[in-house]
Coordinates of all heavy atoms in Angstrom, one line a residue:
M1023 N 103.0 106.1 85.9 CA 102.3 104.9 85.6 C 100.8 105.0 85.6 O 100.2 105.5 86.5 CB 102.7 103.8 86.7 CG 104.0 103.1 86.4 SD 104.0 101.4 85.8 CE 102.7 100.6 86.6
T1024 N 100.3 104.6 84.5 CA 98.8 104.6 84.4 C 98.4 103.2 84.1 O 99.2 102.3 84.0 CB 98.3 105.6 83.4 OG1 98.9 105.3 82.1 CG2 98.5 107.0 83.8
G1025 N 97.1 103.0 83.8 CA 96.6 101.7 83.5 C 95.6 101.2 84.4 O 95.0 100.1 84.2
F1026 N 95.3 101.9 85.5 CA 94.3 101.5 86.4 C 92.9 102.2 86.1 O 92.0 102.2 87.0 CB 94.7 101.8 87.8 CG 95.8 100.9 88.3 CD1 96.4 100.0 87.5 CD2 96.2 100.9 89.6 CE1 97.5 99.2 87.9 CE2 97.2 100.1 90.1 CZ 97.8 99.3 89.2
E1027 N 92.9 102.9 85.0 CA 91.6 103.6 84.7 C 90.4 102.7 84.4 O 89.3 103.1 84.6 CB 91.8 104.6 83.6 CG 92.9 105.7 83.8 CD 94.2 105.2 83.3 OE1 94.4 104.1 82.9 OE2 95.1 106.1 83.4
T1028 N 90.7 101.5 84.0 CA 89.7 100.6 83.6 C 89.7 99.4 84.5 O 90.7 99.0 85.1 CB 89.8 100.2 82.2 OG1 91.0 99.5 82.0 CG2 89.8 101.4 81.2
I1029 N 88.6 98.6 84.5 CA 88.5 97.4 85.2 C 89.5 96.4 84.7 O 90.2 95.7 85.4 CB 87.1 96.8 85.1 CG1 86.1 97.7 85.9 CG2 87.0 95.4 85.6 CD1 84.6 97.2 85.7
G1030 N 89.6 96.3 83.4 CA 90.6 95.4 82.8 C 92.0 95.7 83.2 O 92.8 94.8 83.5
G1031 N 92.4 97.0 83.3 CA 93.7 97.3 83.7 C 94.0 97.0 85.1 O 95.1 96.4 85.5
A1032 N 93.0 97.2 86.0 CA 93.2 96.9 87.4 C 93.2 95.4 87.6 O 94.0 94.9 88.5 CB 92.0 97.5 88.2
F1033 N 92.5 94.7 86.9 CA 92.4 93.2 87.0 C 93.8 92.6 86.6 O 94.3 91.7 87.3 CB 91.3 92.6 86.2 CG 91.2 91.1 86.2 CD1 90.8 90.5 87.4 CD2 91.6 90.4 85.2 CE1 90.7 89.1 87.5 CE2 91.5 89.0 85.2 CZ 91.1 88.4 86.4
Q1034 N 94.3 93.1 85.5 CA 95.6 92.6 85.1 C 96.7 92.9 86.0 O 97.7 92.2 86.1 CB 95.9 93.1 83.7 CG 95.0 92.5 82.6 CD 95.3 93.1 81.2 OE1 96.1 93.9 81.1 NE2 94.6 92.6 80.2
A1035 N 96.6 94.0 86.7 CA 97.6 94.4 87.7 C 97.4 93.7 89.1 O 98.1 93.9 90.0 CB 97.5 95.9 87.9
G1036 N 96.3 92.9 89.1 CA 96.1 92.1 90.4 C 95.5 93.0 91.5 O 95.6 92.6 92.7
C1037 N 94.8 94.1 91.1 CA 94.3 95.0 92.1 C 93.0 94.4 92.8 O 92.3 93.6 92.1 CB 93.9 96.3 91.5 SG 95.3 97.4 91.3
V1038 N 92.8 94.7 94.0 CA 91.6 94.4 94.7 C 90.8 95.7 95.0 O 91.4 96.6 95.6 CB 91.8 93.6 96.0 CG1 90.5 93.4 96.8 CG2 92.5 92.3 95.8
A1039 N 89.6 95.8 94.5 CA 88.9 97.0 94.7 C 88.1 96.9 96.0 O 87.4 96.0 96.3 CB 87.9 97.2 93.5
R1040 N 88.4 97.9 96.9 CA 87.7 98.0 98.1 C 86.8 99.2 98.2 O 87.2 100.3 97.7 CB 88.7 98.0 99.3 CG 89.3 96.7 99.5 CD 90.0 96.6 100.9 NE 90.5 95.3 101.2 CZ 91.8 95.0 100.9 NH1 92.6 95.8 100.3 NH2 92.2 93.8 101.1
V1041 N 85.6 99.0 98.7 CA 84.7 100.2 98.8 C 84.3 100.3 100.3 O 84.3 99.4 101.0 CB 83.5 100.0 97.9 CG1 83.9 100.0 96.5 CG2 82.7 98.7 98.3
R1042 N 84.0 101.6 100.6 CA 83.5 101.8 102.0 C 82.3 102.8 101.8 O 82.4 103.8 101.1 CB 84.6 102.4 102.8 CG 84.2 102.6 104.3 CD 85.4 102.9 105.1 NE 85.8 104.3 104.9 CZ 85.5 105.3 105.7 NH1 84.7 105.0 106.8 NH2 85.9 106.5 105.5
C1043 N 81.3 102.5 102.5 CA 80.1 103.4 102.5 C 80.3 104.6 103.4 O 80.8 104.5 104.5 CB 78.9 102.6 102.9 SG 77.4 103.6 102.9
N1044 N 79.9 105.8 102.9 CA 80.0 107.0 103.7 C 78.6 107.5 104.1 O 78.5 108.6 104.5 CB 80.8 108.1 102.9 CG 82.2 107.7 102.6 OD1 82.9 107.3 103.6 ND2 82.7 107.9 101.4
G1045 N 77.7 106.6 103.8 CA 76.3 107.1 104.0 C 75.9 107.1 105.5 O 76.5 106.5 106.4
K1046 N 74.8 107.9 105.8 CA 74.2 107.9 107.1 C 73.2 106.8 107.1 O 72.5 106.5 106.2 CB 73.6 109.3 107.3 CG 74.6 110.4 107.3 CD 75.3 110.6 108.6 CE 75.9 112.0 108.7 NZ 77.0 112.1 107.7
R1047 N 73.0 106.3 108.3 CA 71.9 105.3 108.5 C 70.6 105.9 108.6 O 70.1 106.3 109.7 CB 72.2 104.5 109.8 CG 73.4 103.5 109.6 CD 73.6 102.8 111.0 NE 74.7 101.8 110.9 CZ 74.6 100.6 110.4 NH1 73.4 100.2 109.9 NH2 75.6 99.8 110.4
K1048 N 69.9 106.0 107.5 CA 68.6 106.7 107.5 C 67.5 105.9 108.2 O 66.6 106.4 108.7 CB 68.2 106.9 106.0 CG 69.1 107.9 105.3 CD 68.7 107.9 103.8 CE 69.7 108.8 103.0 NZ 69.5 108.7 101.6
N1049 N 67.8 104.5 108.2 CA 66.8 103.7 108.8 C 66.9 103.6 110.3 O 66.1 103.0 111.0 CB 66.9 102.3 108.2 CG 66.5 102.3 106.7 OD1 65.8 103.1 106.3 ND2 67.1 101.3 106.0
V1050 N 68.0 104.2 110.8 CA 68.2 104.1 112.3 C 68.3 105.5 112.8 O 69.5 106.1 112.9 CB 69.5 103.3 112.6 CG1 69.6 103.1 114.1 CG2 69.5 102.0 111.9
P1051 N 67.2 106.2 113.1 CA 67.2 107.6 113.5 C 68.1 107.9 114.7 O 68.6 108.9 114.9 CB 65.8 107.9 113.8 CG 65.0 106.8 113.1 CD 65.9 105.6 113.1
K1052 N 68.1 106.9 115.6 CA 68.8 107.1 116.9 C 70.3 107.1 116.7 O 71.0 107.7 117.6 CB 68.4 106.0 117.9 CG 66.9 106.1 118.3 CD 66.6 104.9 119.2 CE 65.1 104.9 119.6 NZ 64.8 103.7 120.3
S1053 N 70.8 106.5 115.7 CA 72.2 106.5 115.5 C 72.7 107.6 114.5 O 72.1 107.8 113.5 CB 72.6 105.1 114.9 OG 74.0 105.1 114.5
S1054 N 73.7 108.3 115.0 CA 74.2 109.4 114.1 C 75.5 108.9 113.5 O 76.2 109.7 112.8 CB 74.4 110.6 115.0 OG 75.4 110.4 116.0
R1055 N 75.9 107.7 113.8 CA 77.2 107.2 113.2 C 77.0 106.9 111.7 O 75.9 106.5 111.3 CB 77.6 105.9 113.9 CG 78.1 106.1 115.3 CD 78.6 104.8 115.8 NE 77.7 103.7 115.6 CZ 78.0 102.5 115.3 NH1 79.3 102.2 115.1 NH2 77.1 101.5 115.2
P1056 N 78.0 107.2 110.9 CA 77.9 106.8 109.5 C 77.9 105.3 109.3 O 78.2 104.6 110.3 CB 79.2 107.4 108.9 CG 80.2 107.5 110.1 CD 79.3 107.8 111.3
C1057 N 77.5 104.9 108.2 CA 77.3 103.5 107.9 C 78.6 102.7 108.0 O 78.7 101.7 108.7 CB 76.6 103.3 106.6 SG 76.4 101.6 106.1
E1058 N 79.5 103.1 107.2 CA 80.9 102.5 107.2 C 80.9 101.1 106.8 O 81.7 100.3 107.2 CB 81.6 102.7 108.5 CG 81.9 104.1 108.8 CD 82.9 104.2 110.0 OE1 82.8 103.4 110.9 OE2 83.7 105.2 110.0
F1059 N 79.9 100.7 106.0 CA 79.9 99.3 105.4 C 81.1 99.2 104.5 O 81.4 100.1 103.7 CB 78.6 99.0 104.7 CG 78.6 97.7 104.0 CD1 78.2 96.6 104.6 CD2 79.0 97.6 102.6 CE1 78.2 95.4 104.0 CE2 79.0 96.4 102.0 CZ 78.6 95.3 102.7
R1060 N 81.8 98.0 104.6 CA 83.0 97.8 103.8 C 82.8 96.5 103.0 O 82.2 95.6 103.5 CB 84.2 97.8 104.6 CG 84.5 99.1 105.3 CD 85.7 98.9 106.2 NE 85.7 100.0 107.2 CZ 86.8 100.6 107.7 NH1 88.0 100.2 107.2 NH2 86.7 101.5 108.6
A1061 N 83.4 96.5 101.8 CA 83.3 95.3 101.0 C 84.5 95.2 100.1 O 85.0 96.3 99.6 CB 82.0 95.2 100.2
D1062 N 84.9 94.0 99.8 CA 85.9 93.8 98.7 C 85.2 93.4 97.4 O 84.3 92.6 97.5 CB 86.9 92.7 99.1 CG 87.8 93.1 100.2 OD1 87.9 94.3 100.5 OD2 88.5 92.2 100.7
L1063 N 85.5 94.1 96.4 CA 84.8 93.8 95.1 C 85.5 92.7 94.4 O 86.7 92.7 94.4 CB 84.7 95.1 94.2 CG 83.9 96.2 94.8 CD1 83.9 97.4 93.8 CD2 82.5 95.8 95.1
D1064 N 84.8 91.8 93.8 CA 85.3 90.8 93.0 C 85.7 91.3 91.6 O 84.8 91.5 90.8 CB 84.3 89.6 92.9 CG 84.9 88.4 92.1 OD1 86.0 88.6 91.5 OD2 84.3 87.3 92.2
M1065 N 86.9 91.5 91.3 CA 87.3 92.1 90.1 C 86.9 91.3 88.9 O 86.6 91.8 87.8 CB 88.9 92.4 90.1 CG 89.3 93.4 91.0 SD 88.6 95.0 90.7 CE 89.2 95.5 89.1
Q1066 N 87.0 89.9 89.1 CA 86.7 89.1 87.9 C 85.2 89.2 87.6 O 84.8 89.2 86.4 CB 87.0 87.6 88.3 CG 87.1 86.7 87.1 CD 87.7 85.4 87.4 OE1 87.7 84.9 88.6 NE2 88.4 84.8 86.5
T1067 N 84.3 89.3 88.6 CA 82.9 89.5 88.3 C 82.7 90.8 87.6 O 81.9 91.0 86.7 CB 82.1 89.4 89.6 OG1 82.3 88.1 90.2 CG2 80.6 89.6 89.4
L1068 N 83.3 91.9 88.1 CA 83.2 93.2 87.5 C 83.6 93.2 86.1 O 83.0 93.8 85.2 CB 84.0 94.2 88.3 CG 83.6 94.6 89.7 CD1 84.6 95.5 90.4 CD2 82.2 95.3 89.7
L1069 N 84.7 92.5 85.8 CA 85.2 92.4 84.5 C 84.2 91.7 83.6 O 84.0 92.1 82.4 CB 86.5 91.5 84.5 CG 87.4 91.5 83.3 CD1 87.9 92.9 83.0 CD2 88.5 90.5 83.5
L1070 N 83.5 90.7 84.1 CA 82.6 90.0 83.2 C 81.3 90.7 83.1 O 80.7 90.6 82.0 CB 82.3 88.6 83.9 CG 83.4 87.6 83.8 CD1 83.1 86.4 84.7 CD2 83.7 87.1 82.4
T1071 N 80.9 91.5 84.1 CA 79.6 92.2 84.0 C 79.7 93.5 83.4 O 78.8 94.0 82.7 CB 79.0 92.3 85.4 OG1 79.9 93.0 86.3 CG2 78.7 90.9 86.0
R1072 N 80.8 94.2 83.6 CA 81.0 95.6 83.1 C 81.8 95.7 81.8 O 81.8 96.7 81.1 CB 81.6 96.5 84.2 CG 80.8 96.5 85.5 CD 79.4 97.0 85.3 NE 78.7 97.2 86.6 CZ 77.4 97.3 86.7 NH1 76.7 97.3 85.6 NH2 76.9 97.5 87.9
G1073 N 82.7 94.7 81.6 CA 83.6 94.7 80.5 C 84.9 95.4 80.9 O 85.0 96.2 81.8
P1074 N 86.0 95.0 80.2 CA 87.3 95.4 80.6 C 87.6 96.9 80.4 O 88.5 97.5 81.0 CB 88.2 94.6 79.7 CG 87.4 94.2 78.5 CD 86.0 94.1 79.1
N1075 N 86.8 97.6 79.6 CA 87.0 99.0 79.3 C 86.1 99.9 80.2 O 86.1 101.1 80.0 CB 86.7 99.3 77.8 CG 87.7 98.6 76.9 OD1 88.9 98.5 77.3 ND2 87.3 98.1 75.8
F1076 N 85.4 99.3 81.2 CA 84.6 100.1 82.0 C 85.5 101.0 83.0 O 86.4 100.4 83.6 CB 83.7 99.3 82.9 CG 82.7 100.0 83.6 CD1 81.4 100.3 83.1 CD2 82.9 100.4 85.0 CE1 80.5 101.0 83.8 CE2 81.9 101.1 85.7 CZ 80.7 101.4 85.1
P1077 N 85.4 102.3 83.0 CA 86.2 103.1 83.8 C 86.0 102.9 85.3 O 84.9 102.9 85.8 CB 85.9 104.5 83.4 CG 84.5 104.4 82.8 CD 84.4 103.0 82.2
L1078 N 87.1 102.7 86.1 CA 87.0 102.5 87.5 C 86.3 103.6 88.2 O 85.6 103.4 89.2 CB 88.4 102.3 88.1 CG 89.0 100.9 87.9 CD1 90.4 100.9 88.5 CD2 88.2 99.8 88.6
E1079 N 86.5 104.8 87.8 CA 85.9 106.0 88.5 C 84.4 106.0 88.4 O 83.8 106.7 89.2 CB 86.5 107.3 87.9 CG 86.2 107.5 86.5 CD 86.7 108.8 86.0 OE1 87.5 109.4 86.7 OE2 86.4 109.2 84.9
M1080 N 83.8 105.2 87.5 CA 82.4 105.2 87.4 C 81.8 104.1 88.3 O 80.5 104.1 88.4 CB 82.0 105.0 85.9 CG 82.1 106.2 85.1 SD 81.5 105.9 83.4 CE 79.8 105.5 83.7
L1081 N 82.6 103.3 88.8 CA 82.1 102.2 89.7 C 81.2 102.6 90.8 O 80.2 102.1 91.1 CB 83.2 101.3 90.1 CG 83.5 100.0 89.4 CD1 84.6 99.3 90.0 CD2 82.3 99.2 89.2
P1082 N 81.7 103.6 91.6 CA 80.9 103.9 92.8 C 79.5 104.4 92.5 O 78.6 104.1 93.3 CB 81.8 105.1 93.4 CG 83.1 104.9 92.9 CD 83.0 104.3 91.6
S1083 N 79.3 105.0 91.4 CA 78.0 105.5 91.0 C 77.0 104.3 90.7 O 75.8 104.5 90.6 CB 78.0 106.5 89.9 OG 78.5 105.8 88.7
R1084 N 77.6 103.1 90.5 CA 76.8 101.9 90.1 C 76.5 101.1 91.3 O 75.9 100.0 91.2 CB 77.5 101.1 89.1 CG 77.8 101.9 87.8 CD 76.5 102.3 87.1 NE 76.7 103.1 85.9 CZ 76.8 102.5 84.7 NH1 76.6 101.2 84.6 NH2 77.0 103.2 83.6
L1085 N 77.1 101.4 92.5 CA 77.0 100.6 93.7 C 75.9 101.1 94.6 O 75.6 102.3 94.7 CB 78.3 100.6 94.4 CG 79.5 100.1 93.6 CD1 80.8 100.2 94.4 CD2 79.3 98.6 93.2
M1086 N 75.3 100.2 95.3 CA 74.4 100.5 96.4 C 74.8 99.8 97.6 O 75.0 98.6 97.6 CB 72.9 100.2 96.0 CG 72.0 100.6 97.1 SD 70.3 100.0 96.7 CE 69.8 101.3 95.5
C1087 N 74.8 100.5 98.7 CA 75.2 99.8 100.0 C 74.1 98.9 100.5 O 72.9 99.3 100.6 CB 75.5 100.9 101.1 SG 75.8 100.2 102.7
P1088 N 74.4 97.6 100.7 CA 73.4 96.7 101.2 C 73.0 96.9 102.6 O 71.9 96.4 103.1 CB 74.0 95.3 101.0 CG 75.5 95.6 101.2 CD 75.7 97.0 100.6
S1089 N 73.7 97.7 103.3 CA 73.5 98.0 104.7 C 72.5 99.2 104.9 O 71.5 99.1 105.7 CB 74.8 98.3 105.5 OG 74.5 98.5 106.8
C1090 N 72.8 100.3 104.2 CA 71.9 101.5 104.4 C 71.2 101.9 103.2 O 70.4 102.8 103.2 CB 72.8 102.6 105.0 SG 73.9 103.3 103.7
G1091 N 71.5 101.2 102.0 CA 70.9 101.6 100.8 C 71.4 102.9 100.2 O 70.9 103.3 99.2
G1092 N 72.5 103.4 100.7 CA 73.1 104.6 100.2 C 73.9 104.3 99.0 O 74.4 103.2 98.8
R1093 N 74.1 105.4 98.2 CA 75.0 105.2 97.0 C 76.2 106.1 97.1 O 76.9 106.4 96.2 CB 74.2 105.7 95.8 CG 73.1 104.7 95.4 CD 72.3 105.3 94.2 NE 71.3 104.3 93.8 CZ 71.5 103.3 92.9 NH1 72.7 103.2 92.4 NH2 70.6 102.5 92.6
N1094 N 76.5 106.5 98.3 CA 77.7 107.3 98.6 C 78.9 106.5 99.0 O 79.4 106.5 100.1 CB 77.4 108.3 99.6 CG 78.5 109.4 99.8 OD1 79.3 109.5 98.9 ND2 78.5 110.0 100.9
M1095 N 79.4 105.7 98.0 CA 80.4 104.8 98.3 C 81.7 105.2 97.6 O 81.7 105.8 96.6 CB 80.1 103.3 97.9 CG 78.9 102.8 98.7 SD 78.6 101.1 98.3 CE 79.6 100.2 99.4
Ligands
ZN2247 ZN1 75.9 102.1 103.9

């Protein structure tokens, strides 16, 4: 089964996109724990802003963590 390669496919399948940040907290030198910020992405908003043919695998490179500013999501 395929069909989840694009935002449109995932949206039609009722998927919820979840992301987790793997970045280090650069702004907090004393803490060595990873950021681990988590969020659920709004598929409908993604669909409207990126278009249904936008590949899901490209999403992480377009995201920035609001907690640590990292892009390693
Ligand atoms: Zn982060």
